[in-house]
């Protein structure tokens, strides 16, 4: 059976970013949050645009004030007042200064700002009580960014800081990748929707809702196809339609023993290439991964058990969607090493994922397994968890206070 690492390699190799030419759209700056930049962005403006003051004080010529001292202050004539947003009108001559405020443009002739705390004002004169450093408190034009250089690189996700930079560069229309389309359906004769009356033995389809939420969180656009009966002709029609309309197809259920055969036949009859049907992982062993149309469309057949469906999504599908969406870095799952606060057990035969919480204890993260049953059918104690502890194959126990690798999955 394939290891998780081998499965991951196959999936992440086939998950290729959307096409930079065809799969792009222009989005207004106000609606661009979390989208992925297609091209790098540069600006015609330097940052800062002009030499400006970092403080409230006086703009001076350094050579005038370099020997100033409380016992020997330098007296300068204040020739202008420069608030932020105002264009200086006067060139500072020897023996002169300008009153200046934070963010205001340094007037020609001046090269240094003396903060107001180190001055004393006397009518139209100012006494400089302490020598500044040369160019002190002047934010130099282009010190942060030079016009024409790369301001934001291609393939990054736009969050608050990047959006602020786009705004500052007056980039109001932004070229981003379209969101990958992700078709989702649930298979099982026993499934009903949350609205339907529940007959004895039936199960409400919760996976569809969980997966749609996860797809949106991952940057995809869910295409909800609903519940499909365990019946070859309907399944075939659904998968065929899903492939035609999306970049990624996710089904849950219908991949456990006994169901294999016709799913395989259906995937094969639609010219799908099945890469694997099970992996060395718990929960999540019965995971099918296939691709269609020369790997243009990826198909994930997730196990039906609610926990298995979510864990396999987090481990494989979320990074795949992130990579397809155009994200150049940072799409991989993230693992961090922390102390476990509970005992973690595995049979040692499968790479085992145990759900729980990364909590902060006096500034240090630690993992606490979820209270209650760790059955892959137990949806209930997944609530409020944010992490999965990973026990590699061969490891049967992690005792409290021992370190464990933990994958971040939420909040
Ligand atoms: P399967 O993978 O189809 O054998 O399903 C395994 C278990 O997960 C069964 O108990 C199913 O009833 C349950 N299950 C399958 N699909 C879903 C779903 N969409 N929502 C909730 N439970 C499901
Ligand atoms: Mg089933």
């Amino acid at each position: 059976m394939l290891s998780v690492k081998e499965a991951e390699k196959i999936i992440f190799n086939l998950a290729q970013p959307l096409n930079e030419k065809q799969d792009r759209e222009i989005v207004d700056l106000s609606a661009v949050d979390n989208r992925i930049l297609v091209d790098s962005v540069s600006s015609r403006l330097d940052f800062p645009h002009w030499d400006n003051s970092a403080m409230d004080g006086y703009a001076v010529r350094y050579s005038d004030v370099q020997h100033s001292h409380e016992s020997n202050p330098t007296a300068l004539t204040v020739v202008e007042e420069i608030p932020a947003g105002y264009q200086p009108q006067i060139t500072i001559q020897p023996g002169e200064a300008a009153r200046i405020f934070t963010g205001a443009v340094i007037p020609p002739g001046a090269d240094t700002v003396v903060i107001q705390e180190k001055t004393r004002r006397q009518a139209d004169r100012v006494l400089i009580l302490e020598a500044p450093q040369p160019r002190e408190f002047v934010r130099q034009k282009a010190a942060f960014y030079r016009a024409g250089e790369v301001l934001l690189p291609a393939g990054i996700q736009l969050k608050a800081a990047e959006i602020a930079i786009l705004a500052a560069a007056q980039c109001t229309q932004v070229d981003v990748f379209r969101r990958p389309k992700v078709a989702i359906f649930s298979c099982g004769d026993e499934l009903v929707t949350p609205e339907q009356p529940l007959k004895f033995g039936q199960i409400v389809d919760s996976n569809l809702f969980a997966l749609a939420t996860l797809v949106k969180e991952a940057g995809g656009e869910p295409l909800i196809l609903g519940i499909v009966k365990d019946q070859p002709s309907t399944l075939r029609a659904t998968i065929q339609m899903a492939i035609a309309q999306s970049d990624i197809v996710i089904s849950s259920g219908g991949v456990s023993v006994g169901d294999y055969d016709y799913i395989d036949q259906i995937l094969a009859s639609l010219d799908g290439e099945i890469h694997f049907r099970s992996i060395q992982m718990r929960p999540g062993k019965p995971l099918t991964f296939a691709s269609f149309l020369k790997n243009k469309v990826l198909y994930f057949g997730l196990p039906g058990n609610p926990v298995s469906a979510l864990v396999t999504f987090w481990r494989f599908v979320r990074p795949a969607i992130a990579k397809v969406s155009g994200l150049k870095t940072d799409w991989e799952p993230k693992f961090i090493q922390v102390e476990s606060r509970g005992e973690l057990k595995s049979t040692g035969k499968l790479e085992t994922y145990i759900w729980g919480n990364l909590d902060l204890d006096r500034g240090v993260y630690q993992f606490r397994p979820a209270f209650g049953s760790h059955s892959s059918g137990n949806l209930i104690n997944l609530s409020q968890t944010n992490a999965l502890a990973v026990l590699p194959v061969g490891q049967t126990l992690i005792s409290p206070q021992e370190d464990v690798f933990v994958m971040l999955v939420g909040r």
Side-chain angles (χ1 to χ4, degrees):
M1 210 181 339
L2 220 55
S3 71
V4 170
K5 271 267 159 280
E6 289 163 333
E8 171 186 75
K9 202 171 160 200
I10 294 172
I11 294 169
F12 297 164
N13 273 339
L14 288 177
Q16 287 302 322
L18 291 172
N19 188 292
E20 286 171 24
K21 293 207 173 67
Q22 286 150 27
D23 299 319
R24 60 196 290 150
E25 57 193 13
I26 296 173
V27 173
D28 196 83
L29 182 61
S30 61
V32 88
D33 38 307
N34 294 320
R35 302 298 295 271
I36 316 291
L37 206 55
V38 185
D39 308 314
S40 64
V41 170
S42 63
S43 174
R44 279 175 300 169
L45 295 173
D46 291 322
F47 284 83
H49 313 322
W50 308 279
D51 285 359
N52 71 86
S53 179
M55 291 294 209
D56 293 337
Y58 290 86
V60 300
R61 300 165 67 98
Y62 176 71
S63 55
D64 278 354
V65 298
Q66 57 181 320
H67 303 301
S68 308
H69 191 266
E70 203 144 12
S71 60
N72 177 32
T74 310
L76 301 171
T77 307
V78 179
V79 293
E80 195 177 23
E81 179 163 319
I82 311 171
Y86 173 84
Q87 190 176 346
Q89 305 293 313
I90 300 172
T91 298
I92 304 300
Q93 307 293 340
E96 292 181 352
R99 177 75 171 122
I100 198 161
F101 298 93
T102 304
V105 175
I106 303 288
D111 53 28
T112 300
V113 171
V114 178
I115 57 171
Q116 62 193 27
E117 292 82 347
K118 297 194 171 152
T119 65
R120 196 178 316 130
R121 187 69 185 255
Q122 290 182 335
D124 66 343
R125 291 193 327 159
V126 62
L127 298 181
I128 307 298
L129 305 175
E130 201 178 293
Q133 299 294 316
R135 311 193 75 82
E136 198 171 13
F137 299 121
V138 175
R139 296 186 192 130
Q140 305 287 331
K141 180 177 195 298
F144 307 151
Y145 168 80
R146 189 167 296 285
E149 288 176 354
V150 172
L151 186 58
L152 294 173
I156 60 167
Q157 188 170 33
L158 300 173
K159 298 277 193 185
E162 294 77 22
I163 293 169
I165 292 166
L166 289 170
Q170 299 188 301
C171 181
T172 56
Q173 301 291 307
V174 190
D175 284 276
V176 295
F177 283 104
R178 68 170 174 82
R179 291 193 183 91
K181 291 199 190 71
V182 183
I184 311 169
F185 65 96
S186 304
C187 334
D189 290 339
E190 76 280 30
L191 299 177
V192 293
T193 68
E195 295 81 18
Q196 283 173 312
L198 190 63
K199 295 203 194 101
F200 187 76
Q202 290 183 324
I203 287 185
V204 178
D205 172 15
S206 56
N207 288 350
L208 197 69
F209 294 85
L211 292 171
T213 304
L214 290 173
V215 163
K216 280 185 260 176
E217 279 175 16
E221 190 181 307
L223 175 66
I224 310 289
L225 301 179
I227 298 169
V228 182
K229 295 280 178 213
D230 283 322
Q231 201 232 344
S233 63
T234 344
L235 260 176
R236 188 179 192 281
T238 305
I239 296 175
Q240 188 168 28
M241 180 184 48
I243 294 165
Q245 292 183 34
S246 48
D247 304 292
I248 294 176
V249 182
I250 305 173
S251 65
S252 74
V255 286
S256 47
V257 186
D259 294 342
Y260 274 158
D261 291 338
Y262 63 73
I263 282 270
D264 279 10
Q265 281 167 25
I266 292 168
L267 298 179
S269 77
L270 294 168
D271 291 331
E273 191 181 337
I274 298 170
H275 301 282
F276 56 81
R277 291 183 319 198
S278 68
I279 53 170
Q280 222 173 358
M281 175 173 174
R282 167 173 294 152
K285 191 170 135 215
L287 174 73
T288 295
F289 177 62
S291 57
F292 293 88
L293 306 173
K294 299 201 178 80
N295 304 327
K296 279 264 177 306
V297 179
L298 306 182
Y299 177 92
F300 293 91
L302 308 185
N305 271 315
V307 178
S308 313
L310 265 61
V311 170
T312 48
F313 184 97
W314 281 317
R315 185 65 185 80
F316 302 109
V317 188
R318 181 167 78 174
I321 294 175
K323 191 177 176 196
V324 169
S325 72
L327 209 54
K328 282 229 170 81
T329 54
D330 243 17
W331 51 264
E332 294 103 333
K334 289 188 183 67
F335 299 89
I336 59 171
Q337 196 176 3
V338 297
E339 194 176 285
S340 178
R341 276 305 155 108
E343 191 175 72
L344 311 176
K345 282 184 174 165
S346 155
T347 62
K349 296 200 177 79
L350 302 169
E351 186 166 310
T352 300
Y353 288 69
I354 295 168
W355 49 104
N357 274 83
L358 263 186
D359 293 329
L360 267 180
D361 183 22
R362 278 158 285 167
V364 178
Y365 274 116
Q366 55 183 30
F367 179 77
R368 209 181 282 281
F371 186 74
S373 160
H374 280 257
S375 149
S376 59
N378 183 6
L379 180 61
I380 306 303
N381 71 348
L382 260 190
S383 162
Q384 299 292 295
T385 60
N386 63 5
L388 295 166
V390 188
L391 274 68
V393 173
Q395 181 147 25
T396 53
L397 178 72
I398 286 177
S399 305
Q401 264 86 61
E402 272 191 276
D403 273 4
V404 64
F405 273 99
V406 164
M407 185 179 139
L408 299 173
V409 298
R411 292 173 292 281

